[in-house]
Amino acid sequence: MGYFPFFVDIAGKNGVIVGGGKVAARKVEKLLSFAPHLIVIAPEIEEWFRMQEKQSQKEGAASLVLVEREFEMADLTGADFVIAATDDETLNGSISAYCKSKQIPVNVVDDREKCSFFFPGLVREGNLTIGISTDGKSPMAASWVRKEISRILPSGIGEVVDLMGQTRPRVMELDMEEADRKALLEKMFLYCLEKGGKVTLEELADRFMGDYKCR
């Protein structure tokens, strides 16, 4: 059947990670740049988490709270999503069952049957995000595809996407047909791609938009 790849804004959302080892760290590492509020709960928490907690406090981009004690089911109150990353299968199963009963999205590491969502393999270049999923059946395949995509992406694609995001509102204000607007955006995109994203907004406006009037 497969899983539909929703892209969800998790900035400011409350995520609970149960487990403080290397597997949990890999999940947290993926999440931090999307600016959720994360709580990591475990009786023992690796030093990596403490460094990330300090870094996130400096940057103010994400909230990472460490709770070094045994997990309690009440810790899931108010959670928007949950990750069970302990080495206790029984505990992971209990967390999964509770979350599903409360309709809280839950990911249980290395147990696809207990998950209601999967972590995709991620490729990120600026505002470009590519997610890769095998429905939890082959993380190795997802990793291979991720590396291949990273290898073939054009240089500066992240900057190109950012430029197009800034330019598109201006183009939408131009007095022109929809088909012509689409063609203009394509020309601008290809030009930015050719230049590796090393283009200014003024240059784009002068080169491509000078002959058009605003509505």
Side-chain angles (χ1 to χ4, degrees), residues 137-164:
K137 294 178 180 178
S138 179
M140 182 61 67
S143 177
W144 184 87
V145 172
R146 177 183 60 79
K147 291 174 183 175
E148 286 297 298
I149 291 175
S150 296
R151 182 178 61 82
I152 65 174
L153 280 178
S155 175
I157 186 65
E159 288 85 349
V160 171
V161 170
D162 186 55
L163 276 167
M164 294 305 297

